[in-house]
C-alpha cells in the first residue's frame, strides 16, 4: 500500500457520500455528503453529471490535499442501470439518464413474450425500462450522435474511474444490471444486442472483479490528483456492496433500505428459472463473483416518508416522535392492525411479483376521523406487507433470518413490523453507511472488524394478524392491477 487511508464513493439516488477511512482499523476519518442533483429534459429525469462530478472532484481534492501521499485507493459504488455513451475518442456524447426514468418503455413493450424469455434466460433479468439496454437504445435513436462509429456504455462507477484514470472497465454486479450480460457464460451477449439492433454500434468494457485496480490517478489528467499515485477501483452496485460490507451469508435475506428498498439473496448456484421469471425477480453476479444474486426492489421505500412529511408539513423531530409513539402503541398491543388503513405503496411503480412502472398507490379505509398519524401507521404497515408479498417470491424455506441495513435501522416500529410480517428473526446491522464500508472491504478483502447487531423477534399474535391482512392486501393488489 502507498498510504494508510482509503476513499470510498457512493453515488446514491438522493444523496452521495465520499468517505475517508483508516485502512487497518476501518475507522471513519472524514465524510462529506452532497445531494445527487437531477435535472429534467423533455422526456423525463436525468442525473446532473456536471454538478455531481464538480462536487465530487472538489471533495476528492480536499481530502487529498489534507492527506497528500497517504491515500492508497479510491473505490466507487453507485446505483445500477444509469450511465452514458462515449464515442471512439472517449468523449461523453449523451446525458446521464436516471435509473428510474421510463422514457425507454416503448422498446420493452414491443418485445414478444418469446424475446422476453430469451432475455431472462441469458441475463437473468426481466425485461424492464429501468435497465441499461433500453436506455442505450433510446440514446442512440434520440441523441445527435453518429451511428457510424462504435459507442461504449459506461455505468456510473465506470465513468468516474475513467475521469480519474483514463482507463475504461466495469465490474460484474454492475454489468449484470445492463440487460446485456450473459451471467452464465460471463460475457456480453451479442444476441441481445442484435435483438435491439445495436450489435454494430454498441460495445461494453472489460469486466473485472469488485475491488480490482482499474488504474491510477497519476495516469489521468486531473490537476491536483495526477501527482498522487492512488489506485482507483470499482466496488459495484450499491445494494450488493452493502451486502459485502455487512458480511451477508447464504441463507440470509438482506433487506437494504434507502430511497428504495431491496431484498437480496446470494448463492453459489444461480436462481435463473421460470418461476423467478414469472415473479419478475432479478438474477445477477455478486461483488464476490463466485456467488450469484437473486434481487428485487420496491421502487417506493424510504422516499415515502419524505412524501408524508412534505404532504403534512412535518419536520424531522415531529416525524420521529410520531414513529416512537406508534411503536409504543404497537408493542403494548394498543394497535389493532385489522382497524388500520390498508395501503399499497406503489407511489413510484411496483416491484415483484408485478413489476410495472405504471403502477400507482392505493389507500383503503379512510374515514372522517382519519388522522395523519393513522396514515403514517398505514404507510409502515403497507411497506411491511409489500415486503412480505415480495419476499414470498423468494425461496423462504431456505432462509434463516432477515438482515436489515440502511435508514430503517433507526425506525423500531418498521423493524418490528418487518419481523412480524415475515415471522422470522430480524438482524439489524448497526453500521453507518454499509455501502461505504463495503466499498472499503472490496479493496481490502482481508480486512475485518467487529459488527454490532440488534435482533427483533416476531410476536406470534402479530404474525397471525399480518398473515390475515396479507390476504386482504393481495385481494386489493389484484383488483388494483385491473385498473392499469
Amino acid at each position: 500500500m502507498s498510504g494508510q487511508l482509503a476513499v470510498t464513493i457512493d453515488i446514491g439516488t438522493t444523496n452521495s457520500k465520499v468517505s475517508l477511512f483508516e485502512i487497518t482499523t476501518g475507522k471513519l476519518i472524514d465524510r462529506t455528503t452532497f445531494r445527487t442533483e437531477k435535472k429534467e429534459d423533455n422526456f423525463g429525469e436525468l442525473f446532473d453529471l456536471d454538478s455531481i462530478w464538480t462536487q465530487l472532484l472538489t471533495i476528492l481534492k480536499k481530502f487529498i490535499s489534507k492527506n497528500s501521499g497517504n491515500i492508497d485507493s479510491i473505490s466507487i459504488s453507485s446505483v445500477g442501470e444509469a450511465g452514458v455513451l462515449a464515442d471512439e475518442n472517449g468523449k461523453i456524447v449523451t446525458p446521464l439518464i436516471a435509473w428510474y426514468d421510463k422514457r425507454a418503455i416503448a422498446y420493452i413493450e414491443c418485445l414478444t413474450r418469446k424475446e422476453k424469455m430469451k432475455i431472462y434466460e441469458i441475463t437473468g433479468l426481466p425485461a424492464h425500462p429501468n435497465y441499461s439496454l433500453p436506455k442505450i437504445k433510446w440514446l442512440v435513436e434520440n441523441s445527435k450522435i453518429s451511428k457510424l462509429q462504435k459507442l461504449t456504455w459506461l455505468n456510473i462507477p465506470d465513468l468516474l474511474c475513467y475521469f480519474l484514470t483514463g482507463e475504461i472497465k466495469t465490474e460484474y454486479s454492475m454489468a449484470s444490471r445492463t440487460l446485456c450480460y450473459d451471467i452464465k457464460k460471463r460475457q456480453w451477449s451479442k444476441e441481445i444486442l442484435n435483438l435491439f439492433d445495436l450489435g454494430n454500434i454498441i460495445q461494453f468494457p472489460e469486466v473485472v472483479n469488485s475491488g480490482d485496480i482499474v488504474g491510477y490517478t497519476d495516469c489521468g489528467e486531473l490537476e491536483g490528483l495526477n501527482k498522487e499515485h492512488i489506485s482507483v477501483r470499482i466496488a459495484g452496485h450499491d445494494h450488493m456492496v452493502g451486502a459485502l460490507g455487512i458480511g451477508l451469508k447464504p441463507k440470509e435475506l438482506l433487506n437494504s433500505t434507502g430511497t428504495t428498498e431491496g431484498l437480496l439473496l446470494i448463492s453459489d448456484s444461480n436462481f435463473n428459472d421460470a418461476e423467478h421469471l414469472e415473479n419478475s425477480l432479478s438474477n445477477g453476479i455478486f461483488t464476490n463473483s463466485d456467488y450469484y444474486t437473486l434481487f428485487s426492489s420496491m421502487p417506493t421505500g424510504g422516499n415515502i416518508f419524505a412524501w408524508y412529511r412534505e404532504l403534512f408539513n412535518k419536520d424531522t423531530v415531529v416525524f420521529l416522535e410520531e414513529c416512537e409513539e406508534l411503536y409504543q402503541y404497537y408493542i403494548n398491543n394498543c394497535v389493532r392492525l385489522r382497524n388500520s388503513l390498508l395501503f399499497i405503496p406503489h407511489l413510484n411503480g411496483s416491484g415483484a411479483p408485478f413489476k410495472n412502472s405504471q403502477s400507482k398507490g392505493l389507500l383503503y379505509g379512510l374515514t372522517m376521523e382519519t388522522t395523519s398519524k393513522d396514515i403514517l401507521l398505514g404507510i409502515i404497515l403497507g411497506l411491511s406487507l409489500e415486503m412480505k408479498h415480495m419476499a414470498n417470491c423468494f425461496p423462504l424455506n431456505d432462509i434463516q433470518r432477515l438482515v436489515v441495513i440502511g435508514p430503517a435501522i433507526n425506525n423500531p416500529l418498521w423493524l418490528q413490523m418487518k419481523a412480524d410480517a415475515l415471522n422470522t428473526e430480524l438482524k439489524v446491522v448497526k453500521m453507518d453507511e454499509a455501502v461505504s464500508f463495503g466499498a472499503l472491504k472490496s479493496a481490502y478483502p482481508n480486512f475485518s472488524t467487529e459488527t454490532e447487531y440488534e435482533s427483533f423477534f416476531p410476536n406470534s399474535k402479530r404474525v397471525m394478524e399480518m398473515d390475515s391482512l396479507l390476504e386482504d392486501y393481495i385481494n386489493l393488489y389484484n383488483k388494483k392491477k385491473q385498473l392499469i
Side-chain angles (χ1 to χ4, degrees), residues 165-445:
T165 69
E167 298 289 336
I168 293 180
K169 287 187 173 69
T170 192
E171 175 273 342
Y172 284 109
S173 67
M174 297 302 302
S176 53
R177 302 298 290 177
T178 59
L179 205 70
C180 201
Y181 192 69
D182 189 324
I183 62 172
K184 296 175 185 174
K185 295 180 179 178
R186 305 293 175 102
Q187 64 187 32
W188 297 107
S189 174
K190 193 75 172 177
E191 183 176 357
I192 294 179
L193 268 178
N194 289 335
L195 184 62
F196 282 77
D197 294 321
L198 294 171
N200 296 322
I201 305 170
I202 300 299
Q203 60 187 10
F204 293 91
E206 174 191 353
V207 184
V208 299
N209 286 305
S210 172
D212 282 358
I213 296 173
V214 172
Y216 292 88
T217 54
D218 54 2
C219 296
E221 300 179 353
L222 293 171
E223 186 179 349
L225 276 73
N226 58 6
K227 293 181 181 179
E228 301 277 337
H229 187 68
I230 302 172
S231 64
V232 182
R233 311 159 191 247
I234 299 172
H237 185 209
D238 51 7
H239 291 289
M240 317 303 169
V241 176
L244 180 68
I246 57 100
L248 186 74
K249 299 177 178 63
K251 298 187 181 300
E252 291 183 330
L253 182 63
L254 178 70
N255 179 210
S256 177
T257 63
T259 303
T260 60
E261 187 173 356
L263 290 178
L264 171 68
L265 186 65
I266 65 173
S267 173
D268 56 7
S269 57
N270 75 63
F271 304 91
N272 199 340
D273 58 35
E275 182 182 354
H276 291 133
L277 168 60
E278 187 66 27
N279 288 322
S280 298
L281 298 186
S282 301
N283 295 271
I285 302 172
F286 190 45
T287 48
N288 176 347
S289 58
D290 291 336
Y291 290 90
Y292 292 91
T293 60
L294 187 65
F295 177 76
S296 189
S297 64
M298 294 164 52
T300 303
N303 51 4
I304 200 168
F305 297 120
W307 170 81
Y308 168 83
R309 286 175 51 197
E310 183 175 349
L311 184 66
F312 292 105
N313 193 28
K314 309 273 189 179
D315 63 25
T316 302
V317 173
V318 171
F319 171 73
L320 294 175
E321 287 175 348
E322 285 185 341
C323 288
E324 177 59 27
E325 184 178 348
L326 287 171
Y327 174 59
Q328 294 302 324
Y329 287 159
Y330 185 76
I331 62 174
N332 289 315
N333 294 313
C334 299
V335 171
R336 288 193 63 203
L337 293 183
R338 174 57 60 185
N339 296 335
S340 298
L341 298 172
L342 203 54
F343 179 61
I344 297 180
H346 295 172
L347 272 64
N348 196 27
S350 56
F354 178 63
K355 192 168 185 174
N356 191 297
S357 59
Q358 306 303 311
S359 191
K360 301 293 190 295
L362 190 64
L363 181 62
Y364 176 78
L366 291 168
T367 70
M368 293 294 288
E369 287 75 42
T370 299
T371 67
S372 62
K373 200 179 298 181
D374 295 330
I375 292 175
L376 177 58
L377 179 65
I379 285 172
I380 298 175
L381 175 60
L383 288 172
S384 302
L385 290 171
E386 175 76 354
M387 186 198 67
K388 180 178 177 68
H389 189 35
M390 186 167 75
N392 283 342
C393 302
F394 285 72
L396 289 181
N397 290 336
D398 298 330
I399 293 168
Q400 296 174 342
R401 65 184 62 85
L402 184 71
V403 182
V404 181
I405 61 174
I409 69 172
N410 299 312
N411 190 324
L413 174 61
W414 197 8
L415 294 171
Q416 186 60 54
M417 280 191 167
K418 288 174 185 287
D420 294 337
L422 281 189
N423 189 22
T424 189
E425 175 196 354
L426 188 149
K427 186 168 77 172
V428 180
V429 182
K430 295 292 188 176
M431 179 184 290
D432 183 32
E433 303 296 348
V435 175
S436 298
F437 193 72
L440 179 68
K441 286 184 71 173
S442 76
Y444 309 98

Side-chain angles (χ1 to χ4, degrees), residues 129-149:
N130 278 5
Y131 298 118
S132 304
L133 195 57
K135 292 180 170 66
I136 294 170
K137 177 69 173 176
W138 188 93
L139 288 167
V140 168
E141 295 295 325
N142 292 276
S143 301
K144 295 178 180 178
I145 50 179
S146 170
K147 298 181 180 62
L148 302 176
Q149 60 175 324

